[in-house]
Amino acid sequence: MVAENYKEVQKKIDETCSACGRDKDEVTLIAVSKTKPVSMLMEAYEAGARVFGENKVQEILEKYDQMPADVKWHMIGHLQRNKVKYIIDKVSMIHSVDSLRLAQTIEQEAAKKNIVMPVLIEVNVAGEESKYGLAPEEVDSFVEEVSAYEHIRVCGLMTIAPFVENPEENRDIFRQLKKLSVDIDAKKHNNITMSVLSMGMTGDYLTAVSEGATMVRVGTGIFGERNYLR
């Protein structure tokens, strides 16, 4: 079932890209595998998935050596500073950079490994109190600060839109994030690109694609409901 789901989600992304004049290769499908066993991840892998997203450091550490070496791991959940050191050389991208202190820690840990870590700035576009992320008006000064870091490369923005029944309700959220990325890109900061827009999840990923998402994070749509008992 996982393989069929993965292929169906990818097919819908490709169709949406075609409908709005985008190249399907512009959009990366991230299989969000939190709480799921490696056996299910392997089903997705065999269907073509190579990029997996996890919310917790512990799950990345548990699954890392059990999955094929060509898997790219993305940290998409809230990241505590004291756990950065455990994944700094294991993940391909950190989506959830939401404070200068976290950015500084990533910079320090990446320097120790002599690597440059691609990151996204998490923006709380909807202003939900329950969500992490910078307010849109805080992003400019944040970008100015981290542009000087030598072991972080800001590649774009990420947001977690509100949970809604009708995905159209989130269209304006996605438009706002896209506009913010365009505005930042126009300022031509050193070491900053806005090539990645990580937005859209199971309930609204097609709307996000139509508004410019380059990465969508789909969990339930591929793996089914998550196991909250873990």
Side-chain angles (χ1 to χ4, degrees):
M1 196 65 192
V2 170
E4 289 85 345
N5 289 346
Y6 179 83
K7 289 175 182 175
E8 181 64 20
V9 171
Q10 187 65 67
K11 179 168 169 273
K12 288 178 178 176
I13 291 171
D14 294 350
E15 289 170 351
T16 301
C17 285
S18 179
C20 59
R22 296 185 65 191
D23 183 336
K24 65 182 181 179
D25 292 335
E26 291 176 16
V27 183
T28 299
L29 171 56
I30 300 173
V32 178
S33 46
K34 55 190 177 184
T35 79
K36 299 302 179 184
V38 167
S39 59
M40 291 181 77
L41 273 67
M42 280 305 301
E43 287 183 58
Y45 179 89
E46 285 161 9
R50 292 297 181 272
V51 185
F52 289 82
E54 289 286 348
N55 271 47
K56 295 184 185 300
V57 167
Q58 189 58 40
E59 286 207 62
I60 293 173
L61 298 178
E62 286 173 5
K63 297 170 182 175
Y64 184 83
D65 288 328
Q66 298 184 64
M67 290 292 289
D70 62 340
V71 164
K72 293 182 177 178
W73 296 96
H74 286 219
M75 179 66 193
I76 62 173
H78 180 63
L79 180 56
Q80 294 172 295
R81 287 180 297 126
N82 64 349
K83 294 187 176 176
V84 171
K85 61 189 174 188
Y86 298 117
I87 59 162
I88 195 68
D89 57 349
K90 292 181 169 59
V91 299
S92 297
M93 180 174 279
I94 297 172
H95 288 229
S96 47
V97 177
D98 58 2
S99 72
L100 273 176
R101 292 177 76 194
L102 176 58
Q104 288 161 358
T105 302
I106 295 170
E107 167 71 15
Q108 290 160 5
E109 295 299 334
K112 291 177 187 176
K113 298 284 187 180
N114 197 29
I115 59 176
V116 177
M117 175 54 62
V119 303
L120 304 179
I121 301 169
E122 183 172 358
V123 186
N124 188 350
V125 178
E128 292 184 282
E129 288 185 14
S130 62
K131 300 266 175 71
Y132 293 100
L134 300 175
E137 60 270 18
E138 295 174 325
V139 175
D140 244 346
S141 59
F142 185 91
V143 163
E144 294 251 357
E145 182 78 25
V146 300
S147 65
Y149 292 6
E150 294 181 0
H151 298 89
I152 281 182
R153 179 170 296 121
V154 175
C155 299
L157 307 177
M158 177 269 235
T159 197
I160 300 173
F163 177 78
V164 292
E165 291 294 329
N166 178 4
E168 282 299 315
E169 293 177 41
N170 281 336
R171 188 175 291 278
D172 191 54
I173 300 289
F174 301 143
R175 282 181 177 165
Q176 287 182 57
L177 193 73
K178 173 68 173 177
K179 182 180 184 304
L180 183 60
S181 77
V182 170
D183 290 347
I184 292 169
D185 203 38
K187 294 179 179 175
K188 304 296 181 193
H189 293 283
N190 287 335
N191 199 33
I192 305 287
T193 66
M194 285 287 128
S195 57
V196 177
L197 271 182
S198 172
M199 58 188 193
M201 300 191 290
T202 293
D204 55 19
Y205 69 95
L206 296 179
T207 304
V209 168
S210 70
E211 292 298 336
T214 66
M215 290 183 177
V216 293
R217 311 177 304 270
V218 180
T220 304
I222 296 171
F223 296 103
E225 293 297 328
R226 77 188 68 147
N227 177 8
Y228 286 100
L229 298 177
R230 275 187 60 123

mmCIF file of all heavy atoms in Angstrom, residues 197-225:
data_model
loop_
_atom_site.group_PDB
_atom_site.id
_atom_site.type_symbol
_atom_site.label_atom_id
_atom_site.label_comp_id
_atom_site.label_asym_id
_atom_site.label_seq_id
_atom_site.Cartn_x
_atom_site.Cartn_y
_atom_site.Cartn_z
ATOM 1 N N LEU A 197 11.423 26.394 -1.370
ATOM 2 C CA LEU A 197 10.222 26.731 -0.603
ATOM 3 C C LEU A 197 9.628 25.424 -0.119
ATOM 4 O O LEU A 197 9.072 24.654 -0.905
ATOM 5 C CB LEU A 197 9.192 27.457 -1.482
ATOM 6 C CG LEU A 197 9.252 28.974 -1.600
ATOM 7 C CD1 LEU A 197 8.091 29.453 -2.473
ATOM 8 C CD2 LEU A 197 9.186 29.656 -0.245
ATOM 9 N N SER A 198 9.792 25.144 1.166
ATOM 10 C CA SER A 198 9.273 23.909 1.754
ATOM 11 C C SER A 198 7.921 24.225 2.379
ATOM 12 O O SER A 198 7.834 24.830 3.450
ATOM 13 C CB SER A 198 10.246 23.381 2.812
ATOM 14 O OG SER A 198 9.697 22.295 3.528
ATOM 15 N N MET A 199 6.864 23.842 1.696
ATOM 16 C CA MET A 199 5.519 24.140 2.194
ATOM 17 C C MET A 199 4.533 23.159 1.579
ATOM 18 O O MET A 199 4.716 22.692 0.465
ATOM 19 C CB MET A 199 5.117 25.591 1.885
ATOM 20 C CG MET A 199 5.128 25.981 0.416
ATOM 21 S SD MET A 199 4.870 27.769 0.202
ATOM 22 C CE MET A 199 4.531 27.837 -1.581
ATOM 23 N N GLY A 200 3.506 22.840 2.363
ATOM 24 C CA GLY A 200 2.506 21.886 1.910
ATOM 25 C C GLY A 200 2.720 20.523 2.523
ATOM 26 O O GLY A 200 3.834 19.999 2.542
ATOM 27 N N MET A 201 1.616 19.974 3.069
ATOM 28 C CA MET A 201 1.639 18.633 3.659
ATOM 29 C C MET A 201 0.485 17.823 3.070
ATOM 30 O O MET A 201 -0.118 18.240 2.071
ATOM 31 C CB MET A 201 1.593 18.740 5.183
ATOM 32 C CG MET A 201 2.787 19.518 5.735
ATOM 33 S SD MET A 201 3.005 19.440 7.537
ATOM 34 C CE MET A 201 1.625 20.408 8.106
ATOM 35 N N THR A 202 0.163 16.690 3.660
ATOM 36 C CA THR A 202 -0.808 15.780 3.053
ATOM 37 C C THR A 202 -2.100 16.477 2.628
ATOM 38 O O THR A 202 -2.618 16.234 1.546
ATOM 39 C CB THR A 202 -1.127 14.620 4.024
ATOM 40 O OG1 THR A 202 0.046 13.812 4.184
ATOM 41 C CG2 THR A 202 -2.258 13.750 3.489
ATOM 42 N N GLY A 203 -2.610 17.363 3.471
ATOM 43 C CA GLY A 203 -3.916 17.962 3.178
ATOM 44 C C GLY A 203 -3.898 19.070 2.144
ATOM 45 O O GLY A 203 -4.948 19.411 1.591
ATOM 46 N N ASP A 204 -2.726 19.653 1.883
ATOM 47 C CA ASP A 204 -2.719 20.844 1.028
ATOM 48 C C ASP A 204 -1.517 20.926 0.086
ATOM 49 O O ASP A 204 -1.203 21.986 -0.442
ATOM 50 C CB ASP A 204 -2.785 22.113 1.898
ATOM 51 C CG ASP A 204 -1.673 22.185 2.945
ATOM 52 O OD1 ASP A 204 -0.661 21.476 2.793
ATOM 53 O OD2 ASP A 204 -1.830 22.944 3.923
ATOM 54 N N TYR A 205 -0.823 19.802 -0.131
ATOM 55 C CA TYR A 205 0.424 19.869 -0.901
ATOM 56 C C TYR A 205 0.212 20.285 -2.350
ATOM 57 O O TYR A 205 1.076 20.935 -2.945
ATOM 58 C CB TYR A 205 1.222 18.560 -0.807
ATOM 59 C CG TYR A 205 0.614 17.358 -1.498
ATOM 60 C CD1 TYR A 205 0.976 17.015 -2.797
ATOM 61 C CD2 TYR A 205 -0.311 16.545 -0.851
ATOM 62 C CE1 TYR A 205 0.434 15.908 -3.431
ATOM 63 C CE2 TYR A 205 -0.858 15.437 -1.462
ATOM 64 C CZ TYR A 205 -0.489 15.117 -2.752
ATOM 65 O OH TYR A 205 -1.030 14.017 -3.374
ATOM 66 N N LEU A 206 -0.933 19.949 -2.930
ATOM 67 C CA LEU A 206 -1.168 20.329 -4.330
ATOM 68 C C LEU A 206 -1.400 21.831 -4.453
ATOM 69 O O LEU A 206 -0.940 22.465 -5.416
ATOM 70 C CB LEU A 206 -2.346 19.536 -4.907
ATOM 71 C CG LEU A 206 -2.117 18.024 -4.983
ATOM 72 C CD1 LEU A 206 -3.344 17.313 -5.533
ATOM 73 C CD2 LEU A 206 -0.878 17.690 -5.825
ATOM 74 N N THR A 207 -2.071 22.404 -3.477
ATOM 75 C CA THR A 207 -2.228 23.863 -3.444
ATOM 76 C C THR A 207 -0.857 24.522 -3.305
ATOM 77 O O THR A 207 -0.550 25.517 -3.973
ATOM 78 C CB THR A 207 -3.137 24.288 -2.274
ATOM 79 O OG1 THR A 207 -4.389 23.616 -2.389
ATOM 80 C CG2 THR A 207 -3.387 25.786 -2.263
ATOM 81 N N ALA A 208 -0.025 23.956 -2.444
ATOM 82 C CA ALA A 208 1.328 24.498 -2.243
ATOM 83 C C ALA A 208 2.142 24.425 -3.536
ATOM 84 O O ALA A 208 2.840 25.380 -3.888
ATOM 85 C CB ALA A 208 2.032 23.744 -1.118
ATOM 86 N N VAL A 209 2.049 23.313 -4.236
ATOM 87 C CA VAL A 209 2.778 23.173 -5.511
ATOM 88 C C VAL A 209 2.317 24.240 -6.497
ATOM 89 O O VAL A 209 3.134 24.866 -7.183
ATOM 90 C CB VAL A 209 2.580 21.757 -6.098
ATOM 91 C CG1 VAL A 209 3.084 21.689 -7.546
ATOM 92 C CG2 VAL A 209 3.307 20.720 -5.254
ATOM 93 N N SER A 210 1.019 24.471 -6.548
ATOM 94 C CA SER A 210 0.506 25.464 -7.494
ATOM 95 C C SER A 210 0.920 26.883 -7.124
ATOM 96 O O SER A 210 0.868 27.790 -7.956
ATOM 97 C CB SER A 210 -1.028 25.371 -7.588
ATOM 98 O OG SER A 210 -1.647 25.822 -6.400
ATOM 99 N N GLU A 211 1.378 27.074 -5.870
ATOM 100 C CA GLU A 211 1.832 28.400 -5.430
ATOM 101 C C GLU A 211 3.357 28.494 -5.322
ATOM 102 O O GLU A 211 3.876 29.443 -4.772
ATOM 103 C CB GLU A 211 1.186 28.763 -4.083
ATOM 104 C CG GLU A 211 -0.312 29.004 -4.155
ATOM 105 C CD GLU A 211 -0.696 30.185 -5.050
ATOM 106 O OE1 GLU A 211 0.150 31.087 -5.263
ATOM 107 O OE2 GLU A 211 -1.841 30.194 -5.542
ATOM 108 N N GLY A 212 4.054 27.477 -5.850
ATOM 109 C CA GLY A 212 5.502 27.608 -5.962
ATOM 110 C C GLY A 212 6.342 26.743 -5.037
ATOM 111 O O GLY A 212 7.566 26.897 -4.998
ATOM 112 N N ALA A 213 5.738 25.830 -4.286
ATOM 113 C CA ALA A 213 6.525 24.946 -3.419
ATOM 114 C C ALA A 213 7.553 24.185 -4.242
ATOM 115 O O ALA A 213 7.258 23.709 -5.341
ATOM 116 C CB ALA A 213 5.619 23.964 -2.684
ATOM 117 N N THR A 214 8.765 24.066 -3.695
ATOM 118 C CA THR A 214 9.768 23.214 -4.341
ATOM 119 C C THR A 214 10.007 21.944 -3.530
ATOM 120 O O THR A 214 10.646 21.016 -4.009
ATOM 121 C CB THR A 214 11.111 23.949 -4.521
ATOM 122 O OG1 THR A 214 11.676 24.212 -3.232
ATOM 123 C CG2 THR A 214 10.928 25.253 -5.271
ATOM 124 N N MET A 215 9.510 21.922 -2.296
ATOM 125 C CA MET A 215 9.521 20.712 -1.479
ATOM 126 C C MET A 215 8.183 20.598 -0.770
ATOM 127 O O MET A 215 7.691 21.582 -0.207
ATOM 128 C CB MET A 215 10.643 20.742 -0.431
ATOM 129 C CG MET A 215 12.029 20.620 -0.999
ATOM 130 S SD MET A 215 13.311 20.570 0.297
ATOM 131 C CE MET A 215 14.773 20.348 -0.722
ATOM 132 N N VAL A 216 7.578 19.419 -0.828
ATOM 133 C CA VAL A 216 6.357 19.159 -0.070
ATOM 134 C C VAL A 216 6.613 17.997 0.871
ATOM 135 O O VAL A 216 7.355 17.068 0.547
ATOM 136 C CB VAL A 216 5.140 18.873 -0.982
ATOM 137 C CG1 VAL A 216 4.758 20.120 -1.773
ATOM 138 C CG2 VAL A 216 5.414 17.715 -1.942
ATOM 139 N N ARG A 217 6.028 18.073 2.059
ATOM 140 C CA ARG A 217 6.294 17.099 3.120
ATOM 141 C C ARG A 217 5.037 16.263 3.358
ATOM 142 O O ARG A 217 4.093 16.710 3.997
ATOM 143 C CB ARG A 217 6.704 17.847 4.397
ATOM 144 C CG ARG A 217 7.799 18.903 4.154
ATOM 145 C CD ARG A 217 8.154 19.682 5.407
ATOM 146 N NE ARG A 217 7.016 20.330 6.038
ATOM 147 C CZ ARG A 217 6.600 21.567 5.761
ATOM 148 N NH1 ARG A 217 7.214 22.303 4.846
ATOM 149 N NH2 ARG A 217 5.559 22.076 6.397
ATOM 150 N N VAL A 218 5.031 15.048 2.816
ATOM 151 C CA VAL A 218 3.826 14.219 2.868
ATOM 152 C C VAL A 218 4.078 12.969 3.704
ATOM 153 O O VAL A 218 4.958 12.172 3.388
ATOM 154 C CB VAL A 218 3.357 13.837 1.444
ATOM 155 C CG1 VAL A 218 2.100 12.964 1.516
ATOM 156 C CG2 VAL A 218 3.081 15.099 0.619
ATOM 157 N N GLY A 219 3.324 12.829 4.774
ATOM 158 C CA GLY A 219 3.450 11.669 5.646
ATOM 159 C C GLY A 219 2.238 10.763 5.568
ATOM 160 O O GLY A 219 2.283 9.662 5.021
ATOM 161 N N THR A 220 1.113 11.245 6.085
ATOM 162 C CA THR A 220 -0.122 10.446 6.122
ATOM 163 C C THR A 220 -0.534 9.986 4.738
ATOM 164 O O THR A 220 -0.990 8.854 4.553
ATOM 165 C CB THR A 220 -1.257 11.272 6.767
ATOM 166 O OG1 THR A 220 -0.837 11.698 8.063
ATOM 167 C CG2 THR A 220 -2.523 10.445 6.908
ATOM 168 N N GLY A 221 -0.354 10.848 3.735
ATOM 169 C CA GLY A 221 -0.744 10.501 2.370
ATOM 170 C C GLY A 221 0.059 9.347 1.783
ATOM 171 O O GLY A 221 -0.379 8.709 0.827
ATOM 172 N N ILE A 222 1.217 9.067 2.377
ATOM 173 C CA ILE A 222 2.053 7.954 1.921
ATOM 174 C C ILE A 222 1.978 6.769 2.876
ATOM 175 O O ILE A 222 1.751 5.628 2.470
ATOM 176 C CB ILE A 222 3.524 8.400 1.776
ATOM 177 C CG1 ILE A 222 3.654 9.472 0.682
ATOM 178 C CG2 ILE A 222 4.432 7.205 1.468
ATOM 179 C CD1 ILE A 222 5.024 10.125 0.608
ATOM 180 N N PHE A 223 2.142 7.040 4.166
ATOM 181 C CA PHE A 223 2.286 5.967 5.157
ATOM 182 C C PHE A 223 1.026 5.679 5.966
ATOM 183 O O PHE A 223 0.999 4.736 6.748
ATOM 184 C CB PHE A 223 3.406 6.315 6.136
ATOM 185 C CG PHE A 223 4.772 6.409 5.503
ATOM 186 C CD1 PHE A 223 5.347 7.645 5.246
ATOM 187 C CD2 PHE A 223 5.478 5.284 5.143
ATOM 188 C CE1 PHE A 223 6.601 7.771 4.666
ATOM 189 C CE2 PHE A 223 6.726 5.367 4.553
ATOM 190 C CZ PHE A 223 7.292 6.609 4.309
ATOM 191 N N GLY A 224 -0.008 6.504 5.798
ATOM 192 C CA GLY A 224 -1.192 6.350 6.630
ATOM 193 C C GLY A 224 -1.041 7.133 7.926
ATOM 194 O O GLY A 224 -0.054 7.810 8.155
ATOM 195 N N GLU A 225 -2.030 7.030 8.782
ATOM 196 C CA GLU A 225 -2.024 7.777 10.041
ATOM 197 C C GLU A 225 -0.796 7.404 10.854
ATOM 198 O O GLU A 225 -0.382 6.252 10.897
ATOM 199 C CB GLU A 225 -3.291 7.484 10.859
ATOM 200 C CG GLU A 225 -4.567 8.005 10.209
ATOM 201 C CD GLU A 225 -4.596 9.509 10.063
ATOM 202 O OE1 GLU A 225 -4.016 10.206 10.921
ATOM 203 O OE2 GLU A 225 -5.193 9.992 9.088
#
